[in-house]
C-alpha cells in the first residue's frame, strides 16, 4: 500500500553519478535479509522524504519500488509513506514518543545521534552484515556510535559551487574560487545590481548548507573535539561571519539574504540577481540550468578560505524503537533491499545523488562529475552531536541579526554560544 572528512577520496572520486548518468531502472535487491534467519514476514512502514525533488516523479518511483520489493519478498507488506521536510524533527520525535509511527525512517547522521540518545533507534548492523565491505567507510562511520551502526547509508548528498558564467563573463571577471576572489568581485557586480553570491539565511535552511561550510573553510568547528563545548565563537567563526557581513555591505549578497529560503525557483540565483551559489546539489544545478540556460551555468569546486570545504553526508535508513522483535527481520530485509547496488543505481538516477557503495558507482568524465569528485574530497558530513539541531536553532537567528546589522559578528557569535552552551549543559544532566 503506497500511502567527518572522507577516508578514501581516491575511491570516492570514482563514485560520482549525475542525474543523467543512469537510466531509471526497476529497483532490484536481495529477496531475503543479510542474516541466516530465513525468509522474513510481516508489515513494515517506511517514512520517505523528498529525495526526488519532482513530486510526481517521486510518487511514481516509490510506488514502483514498493511493488518491486513486494514481488521479490511476498511475505512482507511494505508501506512507503511520503513525508515533507517541513517540521520533520518534530514529526519523528512525536511518533517515537507515541510509539506509533514508522519501522524505518530516512534521517541524517545528526538526527541519528539525537534519536539514538533518547533510545528512539535500534542498531542495524545485521541489515548490512553481508554487504558491509561494499559500503564506503565514511558513510558507515557517519552512522556509527559506540561501535554500533544506527543507520544504513542509502545515498550521499554532496554540494559544491555553481556559477552563472554569463554574469562573470559579461563583467570581465574570472569565476571566484577563493574568499579573496569573492571580495574582489562583489563591488564590481554590485554596480550592475547583481550580488556575487546567493545566500539563504532563513532558519528553514540548515546551517550545513549556509554558514557551516564557511566556518569550515575558515578552519573553524561547531563543537570542540570532545563535543563537550562550543567552538564556533572563535577567531575562525568570526572570520566566516565577517565575510558574510562584508559581502552584504558591499552589495555582494541579495538584499533579503538574512531571510531568503533555500529554494532555487524564484531565488536570486535563478533570476539573474545573484552570480553564484556556494552549496549546490545536482538536482538544484538542474533547476538553475532550466532557469538560466544550460550554457550559462557551470559547476565548480568548493570555495577555499583557509581550507577548502563543503557539506556532504549520507541519507540513512534508520530502524526506530517502534519496530517489534517479531518484525525485525522484515525491517532488515527492507533496508538491505533498498540499499543494494541495483536499488541505489535506480535512486541516484532519479534523484541525482551519489552512491554509498563501491559497486553502485559510475565514473563520469564530464565536467560536472569532475567537479563533484573534487567536492567529495572536501566534504564534511556535519556534526553528529545529539544537540546539533538545537545548536543550529540558537545560532541561526544570531547570524540573521549580524546580517541585518543589529549585532557585530563577534557579538552575534558570543550570544549564540551562550545559548548553545546552555543547551549542552542541559543535555548532559
Amino acid at each position: 500500500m503506497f500511502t567527518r572528512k572522507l577516508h578514501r577520496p581516491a575511491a570516492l572520486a570514482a563514485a560520482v553519478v549525475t542525474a543523467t548518468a543512469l537510466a531509471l531502472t526497476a529497483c532490484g535487491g536481495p529477496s531475503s535479509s543479510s542474516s541466516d534467519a530465513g525468509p522474513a514476514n510481516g508489515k513494515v512502514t517506511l517514512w520517505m522524504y523528498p529525495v526526488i525533488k519532482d513530486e510526481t516523479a517521486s510518487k511514481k518511483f516509490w510506488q514502483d519500488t514498493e511493488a518491486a520489493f513486494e514481488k521479490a519478498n511476498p511475505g512482507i507488506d511494505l508501506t512507503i509513506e511520503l513525508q515533507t521536510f517541513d517540521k520533520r524533527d518534530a514529526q519523528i520525535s512525536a511518533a517515537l514518543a507515541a510509539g506509533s509511527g514508522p519501522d524505518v525512517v530516512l534521517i541524517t547522521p545528526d538526527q541519528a545521534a539525537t534519536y539514538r540518545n533518547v533510545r528512539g533507534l535500534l542498531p542495524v548492523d545485521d541489515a548490512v552484515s553481508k554487504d558491509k565491505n561494499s559500503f564506503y567507510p565514511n558513510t558507515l562511520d557517519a552512522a556509527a556510535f559506540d561501535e554500533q551502526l544506527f543507520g544504513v547509508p542509502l545515498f550521499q548528498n554532496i554540494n559544491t559551487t555553481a556559477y552563472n558564467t554569463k554574469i562573470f563573463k559579461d563583467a570581465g571577471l574570472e569565476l571566484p574560487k577563493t574568499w579573496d576572489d569573492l571580495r574582489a568581485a562583489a563591488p564590481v557586480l554590485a554596480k550592475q545590481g547583481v550580488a556575487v553570491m546567493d545566500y539563504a539565511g532563513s532558519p528553514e535552511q540548515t546551517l550545513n548548507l549556509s554558514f557551516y561550510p564557511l566556518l569550515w573553510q575558515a578552519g573553524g568547528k561547531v563543537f570542540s573535539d570532545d563535543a563537550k563545548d562550543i567552538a564556533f565563537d572563535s577567531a575562525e567563526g568570526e572570520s566566516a561571519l565577517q565575510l558574510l557581513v562584508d559581502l552584504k555591505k558591499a552589495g555582494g549578497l541579495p538584499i533579503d539574504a538574512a531571510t531568503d529560503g533555500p529554494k532555487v525557483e524564484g531565488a536570486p540565483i535563478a533570476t539573474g540577481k545573484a552570480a553564484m551559489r556556494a552549496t549546490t546539489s545536482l538536482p538544484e544545478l538542474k533547476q538553475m540550468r532550466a532557469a538560466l540556460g544550460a550554457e550559462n551555468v557551470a559547476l565548480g569546486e568548493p570555495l577555499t578560505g583557509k581550507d577548502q570545504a563543503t557539506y556532504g553526508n549520507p541519507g540513512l535508513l534508520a530502524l526506530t524503537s517502534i519496530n517489534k522483535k517479531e518484525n525485525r527481520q522484515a525491517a532488515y530485509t527492507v533496508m538491505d533491499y533498498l540499499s543494494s547496488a541495483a536499488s541505489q543505481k535506480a535512486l541516484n538516477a532519479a534523484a541525482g545523488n551519489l552512491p554509498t557503495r563501491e559497486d553502485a558507482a559510475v565514473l563520469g568524465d564530464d565536467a560536472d562529475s569532475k567537479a563533484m569528485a573534487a567536492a567529495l574530497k572536501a566534504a564534511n558530513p556535519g556534526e553528529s552531536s545529539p544537540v546539533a539541531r538545537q545548536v543550529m536553532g540558537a545560532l541561526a537567528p544570531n547570524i540573521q541579526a549580524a546580517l541585518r546589522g543589529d549585532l557585530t559578528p563577534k557579538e552575534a557569535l558570543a550570544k549564540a554560544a551562550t545559548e548553545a552552551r546552555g543547551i549542552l549543559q542541559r543535555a548532559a544532566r
Side-chain angles (χ1 to χ4, degrees):
M1 177 178 60
F2 183 78
T3 46
R4 314 127 153 129
K5 294 288 184 183
L6 301 185
H7 294 171
R8 296 167 61 187
L12 287 172
V16 177
V17 178
T18 66
T20 57
L22 294 166
L24 180 59
T25 60
C27 285
S31 60
S32 62
S33 80
S34 56
S35 76
D36 297 324
N41 295 279
K43 295 182 179 181
V44 177
T45 298
L46 165 66
W47 279 4
M48 180 54 61
Y49 291 83
V51 179
I52 301 170
K53 303 300 181 182
D54 182 276
E55 186 175 348
T56 301
S58 178
K59 184 176 181 180
K60 184 179 188 307
F61 180 90
W62 294 112
Q63 282 178 331
D64 292 347
T65 298
E66 188 179 285
F69 172 84
E70 292 181 339
K71 182 177 180 180
N73 300 273
I76 301 176
D77 179 6
L78 173 62
T79 298
I80 301 177
E81 298 180 354
L82 298 186
Q83 310 293 337
T84 65
F85 284 129
D86 184 45
K87 299 180 180 178
R88 175 165 66 161
D89 285 317
Q91 179 195 38
I92 296 173
S93 296
L96 293 175
S100 60
D103 297 279
V104 181
V105 63
L106 180 71
I107 60 175
T108 59
D110 61 325
Q111 288 175 314
T114 299
Y115 301 136
R116 170 196 174 263
N117 198 49
V118 296
R119 299 183 180 179
L121 299 184
L122 300 169
V124 295
D125 300 82
D126 287 349
V128 299
S129 59
K130 179 171 62 68
D131 292 337
K132 188 173 183 179
N133 290 336
S134 296
F135 288 88
Y136 292 118
N138 77 292
T139 64
L140 295 174
D141 289 347
F145 304 92
D146 295 332
E147 299 183 357
Q148 286 187 302
L149 193 64
F150 284 86
V152 178
L154 181 62
F155 59 85
Q156 290 197 78
N157 285 314
I158 301 293
N159 299 269
T160 191
T161 312
Y163 302 94
N164 183 328
T165 54
K166 185 177 187 303
I167 289 177
F168 289 105
K169 182 178 180 181
D170 291 348
L173 295 169
E174 296 293 324
L175 300 181
K177 297 179 180 179
T178 69
W179 285 16
D180 288 342
D181 294 342
L182 279 179
R183 292 182 187 276
V188 177
L189 295 180
K191 291 178 181 179
Q192 302 174 19
V194 177
V196 67
M197 186 173 75
D198 205 0
Y199 186 82
S202 168
E204 71 175 298
Q205 172 69 302
T206 169
L207 294 184
N208 286 325
L209 294 174
S210 55
F211 180 68
Y212 284 176
L214 297 175
L215 176 64
W216 301 327
Q217 289 163 19
K221 299 176 292 186
V222 180
F223 296 93
S224 61
D225 289 339
D226 62 7
K228 294 181 179 180
D229 195 13
I230 296 301
F232 60 71
D233 59 334
S234 59
E236 293 82 4
E238 188 175 344
S239 174
L241 188 48
Q242 190 66 58
L243 173 67
L244 289 176
V245 170
D246 290 347
L247 289 177
K248 184 70 161 50
K249 289 179 179 178
L253 296 183
I255 191 171
D256 294 324
T259 56
D260 279 345
K263 290 184 178 179
V264 171
E265 185 178 359
I269 190 64
T271 58
K273 295 298 183 181
M276 58 183 282
R277 178 171 276 200
T279 51
T280 309
S281 64
L282 288 174
E284 290 170 336
L285 178 69
K286 183 178 180 181
Q287 291 178 298
M288 286 177 57
R289 286 178 170 154
L292 301 170
E295 71 281 5
N296 296 322
V297 178
L299 203 61
E301 295 187 15
L303 289 174
T304 301
K306 178 182 177 182
D307 298 321
Q308 186 180 57
T310 188
Y311 174 66
N313 75 342
L316 306 173
L317 291 176
L319 182 65
T320 75
S321 55
I322 295 168
N323 182 260
K324 304 302 181 185
K325 186 175 182 180
E326 61 270 18
N327 210 34
R328 192 72 31 87
Q329 196 66 33
Y332 288 159
T333 302
V334 169
M335 291 187 284
D336 188 15
Y337 179 96
L338 293 180
S339 64
S340 68
S343 293
Q344 284 200 26
K345 288 178 181 179
L347 178 59
N348 291 332
N353 294 319
L354 307 180
T356 62
R357 300 171 57 118
E358 293 186 40
D359 51 1
V362 174
L363 177 62
D365 292 324
D366 59 287
D368 289 349
S369 293
K370 291 177 180 179
M372 293 304 289
L376 280 165
K377 298 177 184 179
N380 187 319
E383 305 294 338
S384 56
S385 165
V387 297
R389 294 289 169 130
Q390 292 171 269
V391 168
M392 279 189 192
L395 183 53
N398 286 290
I399 292 173
Q400 285 183 307
L403 287 173
R404 290 194 304 264
D406 299 337
L407 296 172
T408 67
K410 187 172 184 177
E411 291 169 341
L413 294 176
K415 184 178 178 182
T418 297
E419 184 176 345
R421 287 192 172 99
I423 293 170
L424 280 173
Q425 289 170 4
R426 290 190 293 275
R429 290 173 186 168

